[in-house]
Amino acid sequence: MQLWSLPEAIDEALWRLESDLTQGRAREDRVRRAVSLLADLPPQKLAAAGQFIRDALVPVPPAPLKFLQRWLGGVQGERDLLRTTPGLEYLFLFHRDGHLREAALHKIDEAPPGVFWIAAIAYRQNDWVAAVRAAARRCVARVAAHVGPEGMADTAFFLLARVPTWGRWRLEPQSDPENLFLMRPEMADALARRIGGATHGPVGSVLRQALRQPYMDSHLPALATNAVQPIVRMVALHTLIEAQAAWPEGWDREMINKPFNIYRPIRQYATRPVARPASKSHYLEQAARDRSVVVRRLAAATLAQALGREDAAAWEMWGPLLALLEQDSDRSIRNRIAFIRCRLAQARDPLVPRLEALAGGGRHDPDRDSDRGREVEL
């Protein structure tokens, strides 16, 4: 597997920056060039590019004596360079020193030069230093006021897929979910278009995380109909069918072998209610007629889960839906509908066998499926 490497122009710019920092200087033109070139990278390369940037930010040597400092021509420490060099604050977001990362976040008070740097600022909300996380949260709030909805939507599209792997931001008692996920009502349209038009990537996970906030609720019917990826249509329809949004929220474990102390992980979900514009049957039928088998399986699975929960009136209303899924081209869907038909047919039989069977009459047949496994309470 070939490892990703920086483009040649960015690699050269970082090499020149490293050479300057080794001498205790940072030329403004070289810093601006490095920041500009990195801004063109997609946010997905943030972690990989951050390692290259971190390696280029070598420790600045301590300032020599005053007469040597004058003779060498203005050697400065890292804090002085950060304060006096425009653009260096973006590169210092990846510095090894948490104090300098915090100072860099305090300095940023304008629209960053690209989506890459917006994501880099928001990514610091999961920093391993508490003071940096707090500074990043405030910096995101400042930057959001200067960035358009399209840029914030592109950043949120990248971050929301990675939030389930974050753990440190939950340690912040004053963590604001709207700042963390960059969700605002005015950018919901842009994010919905980004999710609905995406042709690749973990879009289903992005939508589930975006549903933490209610800003995406009004876009669910459109996503359920027009989204390119089937997983997006499935998540939107599942949310509308159940009238609640669900997103991953940690892990639990279940013991499967007590003598050997073996557990299996179980994904935990958090939920919130969602207003449903149409009836549950409407969205079930939409799922059953979808062009993707993944979405049609959702309809069959939802009907199977309704066994024992819905009354006879609901199943009578869903009769045409069952008939439609019985003719589906996917065998797993047909098998599930056959199972539902069998259970519904068994539910019409009396739970207690006839008196002749209890008395040993000739009508009792122990090989009949309808009589197997019946428990009689006397």
Side-chain angles (χ1 to χ4, degrees):
M1 181 177 178
Q2 186 177 5
L3 297 177
W4 181 81
S5 59
L6 283 174
E8 185 177 352
I10 300 179
D11 188 57
E12 181 183 358
L14 291 179
W15 178 82
R16 292 182 181 279
L17 175 66
E18 180 181 355
S19 177
D20 290 343
L21 291 176
T22 304
Q23 302 176 28
R25 300 183 180 86
R27 288 179 50 178
E28 182 178 343
D29 57 338
R30 291 182 176 177
V31 171
R32 289 188 178 277
R33 174 171 171 76
V35 171
S36 176
L37 290 173
L38 286 164
D40 295 332
L41 291 177
Q44 288 77 9
K45 301 299 182 183
L46 181 64
Q51 184 61 48
F52 289 100
I53 300 172
R54 190 177 299 111
D55 293 340
L57 299 176
V58 294
V60 175
L65 298 176
K66 290 185 178 180
F67 71 94
L68 288 177
Q69 186 174 359
R70 290 194 299 269
W71 178 66
L72 291 174
V75 177
Q76 296 177 296
E78 290 171 312
R79 285 188 174 275
D80 294 332
L81 289 175
L82 176 62
R83 185 177 61 254
T84 59
T85 309
L88 193 60
E89 60 270 18
Y90 295 109
L91 298 171
F92 272 32
L93 291 174
F94 299 95
H95 202 284
R96 290 181 173 85
D97 190 339
H99 296 92
L100 291 174
R101 294 197 303 274
E102 181 184 4
L105 288 164
H106 287 317
K107 184 180 177 182
I108 298 174
D109 195 17
E110 59 183 2
V115 176
F116 178 87
W117 293 114
I118 303 175
I121 294 170
Y123 211 78
R124 290 296 105 198
Q125 293 180 103
N126 195 46
D127 197 277
W128 55 91
V129 180
V132 178
R133 294 196 297 267
R137 189 172 62 249
R138 294 189 294 269
C139 185
V140 168
R142 294 195 306 269
V143 167
H146 302 285
V147 179
E150 294 291 342
M152 298 301 288
D154 289 341
T155 306
F157 186 84
F158 160 72
L159 289 177
L160 289 172
R162 286 151 180 81
V163 163
T165 64
W166 287 12
R168 301 185 187 95
W169 67 271
R170 294 183 176 88
L171 302 176
E172 292 296 304
Q174 301 175 349
S175 179
D176 187 351
E178 295 185 16
N179 285 345
L180 178 63
F181 304 115
L182 307 176
M183 291 293 295
R184 304 195 311 269
E186 59 268 23
M187 64 166 282
D189 294 343
L191 183 58
R193 289 193 299 270
R194 185 77 166 82
I195 293 174
T199 59
H200 61 279
V203 194
S205 300
V206 172
L207 179 56
R208 284 203 181 278
Q209 293 297 329
L211 288 173
R212 287 174 177 262
Q213 299 296 321
Y215 304 136
M216 295 294 295
D217 291 0
S218 60
H219 298 279
L220 287 174
L223 290 174
T225 305
N226 302 320
V228 174
Q229 286 205 36
I231 187 64
V232 176
R233 301 197 300 273
M234 189 194 74
V235 171
L237 283 170
H238 184 259
T239 303
L240 293 170
I241 290 171
E242 300 296 335
Q244 70 174 9
W247 59 90
E249 190 72 18
W251 293 87
D252 198 359
R253 62 178 189 171
E254 178 185 13
M255 178 172 285
I256 59 176
N257 192 315
K258 189 172 183 180
F260 291 95
N261 197 31
I262 299 176
Y263 294 84
R264 67 175 179 181
I266 300 177
R267 190 56 135 159
Q268 298 296 309
Y269 287 85
T271 60
R272 67 171 182 84
V274 172
R276 189 166 51 199
S279 65
K280 180 177 181 178
S281 300
H282 171 80
Y283 295 114
L284 274 173
E285 183 177 358
Q286 182 177 346
R289 296 183 181 277
D290 195 272
R291 60 185 180 273
S292 173
V293 66
V294 175
V295 185
R296 299 198 301 273
R297 285 173 182 166
L298 169 67
T302 304
L303 291 172
Q305 292 173 358
L307 287 171
R309 302 178 183 177
E310 301 290 344
D311 54 14
W315 287 108
E316 184 177 355
M317 178 178 57
W318 290 338
L321 187 59
L322 292 173
L324 174 63
L325 291 173
E326 276 181 328
Q327 308 300 322
D328 197 274
S329 59
D330 184 67
R331 185 172 64 178
S332 65
I333 295 177
R334 298 196 304 270
N335 291 342
R336 182 161 288 182
I337 300 304
F339 169 77
I340 295 173
R341 292 285 196 190
C342 181
R343 290 293 301 271
L344 292 176
Q346 290 178 359
R348 299 191 188 100
D349 296 337
L351 294 178
V352 178
R354 295 181 177 85
L355 294 178
E356 307 90 272
L358 294 178
R363 292 189 181 183
H364 175 62
D365 183 4
D367 293 330
R368 286 179 56 210
D369 291 339
S370 58
D371 292 332
R372 287 180 183 172
R374 299 291 177 87
E375 295 182 2
V376 181
E377 297 181 0
L378 300 179

